[in-house]
Amino acid sequence: MVIEDGYRPLEPGVHTDFSAELDYAGYLDLDTLLSAQHVRSDPPHPDELLFVIQHQTTELWLKLMVHELVGARGYLDADDLSRARKSLARVKHILRTVTEQWSVLATLTPSEYAEFRDVLGPASGFQSVQYRAVEFLLGNKNAQMLKVFEGNPPVHAFLASALSSHTVYDAFLRLVARRGLPVPTVVLERDVSLPWVEQPELVSVFREVYEDTTRHWDLYETSEDLVDVEDAFQLWRFRHLRTVQRTIGFKRGTGGSSGVAFLRRALDLTFFPELITVRTEIGKS
């Protein structure tokens, strides 16, 4: 196609009449999506839109993470490691995206945020239903968190179901046991509503996987996928902490938490501790 006078004509065959057909905006329901940004400061603060969009897009990515982690768990239950690994790979890329996204919010200076922070009231990311679902799916179960959602019965029921359901790690360990490796019965029959606690007996199981990769190649690769997910999640947590610290310093969070100190404690949480501990044992005589 020749461009003349800076003008590029439409190619033949490009659809232009959508009076009776589905168009891009209709498929994505953009009228709803783009009308969901409600700036509450009065007069409207020019930087509040950034704050709203940052968190709304994160919620969309969290929705996809929940979808992919539920999918990965189901594939593991069905002994479909290839499909499970595909879902875990997607989760890793989502986490990298939302981690980099903090750099956009970091352009919000402390002075700018202080000018509209009060309009948030007690609203806080601490109250994110989907974030909590992701943590539950990965093993950081905490029944106390359900109290935050008691005023919303459907949401409370959703998280209660997530709390009582087995995790992605549970599904993987059950698959490892079905492969004939000696996963302890106490692990396979544990109360899945409780947070994961490191099981020393599992370390020898993973040592066998890591020291005989020829025999256990797909289990080895999936173990590394899980470590990748945990690393990416921790980087996201850390970037969150640093962004909060540079924006509000050591103020309390809007939801009542201690702010940076609360986020720092989260860095001590781990989803798959045996996959880290086993690295100390590999190669020992």
Side-chain angles (χ1 to χ4, degrees):
M1 178 179 294
V2 178
I3 299 177
E4 298 179 357
D5 300 324
Y7 174 76
R8 184 180 65 178
L10 289 176
E11 295 178 350
V14 170
H15 288 272
T16 58
D17 182 5
F18 295 96
S19 56
E21 292 186 283
L22 181 68
D23 66 358
Y24 176 79
Y27 175 72
L28 295 177
D29 198 7
L30 291 183
D31 286 344
T32 300
L33 182 65
L34 298 180
S35 63
Q37 293 72 48
H38 304 297
V39 174
R40 299 178 184 273
S41 50
D42 186 17
H45 193 284
D47 297 305
E48 190 181 353
L49 184 62
L50 160 63
F51 190 84
V52 171
I53 289 176
Q54 168 87 23
H55 289 83
Q56 286 184 339
T57 51
T58 297
E59 287 295 328
L60 288 172
W61 287 121
L62 285 169
K63 181 175 183 176
L64 185 56
M65 268 198 279
V66 171
H67 173 76
E68 294 297 339
L69 289 171
V70 169
R73 183 180 62 186
Y75 294 134
L76 290 168
D77 288 341
D79 293 318
D80 191 343
L81 269 181
S82 295
R83 294 289 297 275
R85 294 191 63 219
K86 173 68 174 181
S87 292
L88 292 174
R90 187 166 290 161
V91 169
K92 287 187 284 184
H93 286 292
I94 295 169
L95 285 165
R96 289 171 186 147
T97 296
V98 293
T99 298
E100 180 57 32
Q101 189 170 289
W102 287 118
S103 65
V104 183
L105 190 62
T107 65
L108 181 68
T109 68
S111 300
E112 291 163 346
Y113 184 42
E115 290 170 354
F116 68 85
R117 188 182 187 223
D118 62 324
V119 304
L120 274 69
S124 167
F126 177 80
Q127 300 144 16
S128 170
V129 177
Q130 296 185 121
Y131 173 80
R132 203 57 55 194
V134 168
E135 287 227 326
F136 285 3
L137 280 160
L138 290 175
N140 185 21
K141 303 288 185 79
N142 186 345
Q144 290 184 329
M145 290 306 307
L146 295 184
K147 295 178 181 178
V148 178
F149 307 98
E150 286 179 345
N152 189 329
V155 165
H156 187 274
F158 167 72
L159 284 179
S161 176
L163 183 74
S164 63
S165 299
H166 65 296
T167 70
V168 172
Y169 198 34
D170 287 318
F172 180 54
L173 293 173
R174 292 173 185 180
L175 183 150
V176 171
R178 291 194 296 273
R179 291 288 187 88
L181 290 168
V183 177
T185 301
V186 67
V187 170
L188 299 175
E189 297 179 355
R190 80 180 191 93
D191 182 350
V192 297
S193 69
L194 298 177
W196 181 266
V197 177
E198 184 166 3
Q199 302 293 322
E201 298 88 349
L202 269 179
V203 175
S204 60
V205 175
F206 283 117
R207 181 175 180 176
E208 180 177 344
V209 170
Y210 274 79
E211 291 188 338
D212 191 354
T213 56
T214 301
R215 182 181 176 192
H216 304 296
W217 181 255
D218 55 355
L219 298 181
Y220 164 70
E221 285 192 311
T222 308
S223 297
E224 287 295 282
D225 289 335
L226 291 172
V227 173
D228 286 344
V229 168
E230 171 141 350
D231 281 352
F233 202 97
Q234 289 287 42
L235 286 171
W236 178 39
R237 280 174 169 160
F238 180 74
R239 194 71 177 91
H240 182 194
L241 181 155
R242 297 297 299 183
T243 302
V244 170
Q245 183 171 291
R246 70 175 287 159
T247 307
I248 67 168
F250 300 98
K251 294 185 181 76
R252 293 191 69 83
T254 52
S257 76
S258 56
V260 167
F262 175 79
L263 296 174
R264 185 173 288 116
R265 286 196 297 274
L267 294 175
D268 293 330
L269 299 173
T270 181
F271 299 124
F272 321 118
E274 298 82 5
L275 292 176
I276 303 303
T277 300
V278 72
R279 283 154 164 74
T280 308
E281 302 301 318
I282 294 169
K284 282 186 176 180
S285 56

